[in-house]
Amino acid sequence: MQKIVLAFKQAFSSILLAGLMIFISLSGLFIVGQQASYATTLEELKLIPPEYKPNSEEKVNRAYEYDPGVGVREEERQKAYEQAKKDSANLNTIEKAYERNLKAEKEQNPPESFGEKAKEVIEKVTGK
């Protein structure tokens, strides 16, 4: 009797294992990737003619409609673009623009002092 139960248990576990493997393999076939989402609808595409190209002021105004913070960033971006166009006029202004950008970068990300680096190394070594 025990041999029959043991044989049944082995057969059932092997069938269960094979069934799970088949189920996992087949379930992978039915996974469908999500379609690309374009941030517009067909109705909006019909409303905006393809030849419409908004100028920078219209872009800023549209950005303000969504969120004031986005409008501010768009405005700053437009100002930076206009400044870059002016700077590209001759070589001297390009060098000045580079120095100005380098200075602004250093203000945003100041270099670490020797003391701060030493403190970090000590913390790493001591494990705190």
Side-chain angles (χ1 to χ4, degrees):
M1 181 72 179
Q2 285 183 340
K3 289 182 182 181
I4 295 172
V5 172
L6 185 61
F8 180 73
K9 186 177 179 182
Q10 277 185 329
F12 181 72
S13 64
S14 63
I15 290 172
L16 182 66
L17 182 64
L20 286 174
M21 288 174 48
I22 291 171
F23 175 73
I24 290 171
S25 299
L26 290 178
S27 65
L29 295 175
F30 296 109
I31 295 176
V32 179
Q34 186 175 1
Q35 291 282 334
S37 173
Y38 301 105
T40 186
T41 62
L42 186 60
E43 289 78 20
E44 289 174 342
L45 287 174
K46 290 178 184 175
L47 293 175
I48 301 172
E51 63 273 355
Y52 174 70
K53 302 287 185 213
N55 61 20
S56 61
E57 190 173 314
E58 290 172 340
K59 287 180 183 177
V60 170
N61 290 340
R62 185 167 182 224
Y64 272 117
E65 287 176 11
Y66 289 113
D67 185 14
V70 174
V72 170
R73 288 194 305 262
E74 183 67 28
E75 204 169 284
E76 290 172 357
R77 196 170 141 225
Q78 288 296 330
K79 286 178 184 176
Y81 175 73
E82 295 298 326
Q83 183 65 35
K85 278 177 39 177
K86 289 178 190 175
D87 290 342
S88 66
N90 63 24
L91 188 60
N92 291 334
T93 55
I94 291 175
E95 290 174 2
K96 289 178 184 176
Y98 173 75
E99 290 171 3
R100 184 176 59 241
N101 291 339
L102 188 61
K103 183 179 177 184
E105 180 70 27
K106 284 184 180 179
E107 287 176 0
Q108 289 179 353
N109 301 323
E112 293 183 14
S113 67
F114 179 74
E116 291 174 5
K117 288 183 182 179
K119 187 176 181 181
E120 288 177 11
V121 170
I122 291 171
E123 288 176 357
K124 285 182 183 178
V125 169
T126 60
K128 290 185 178 180

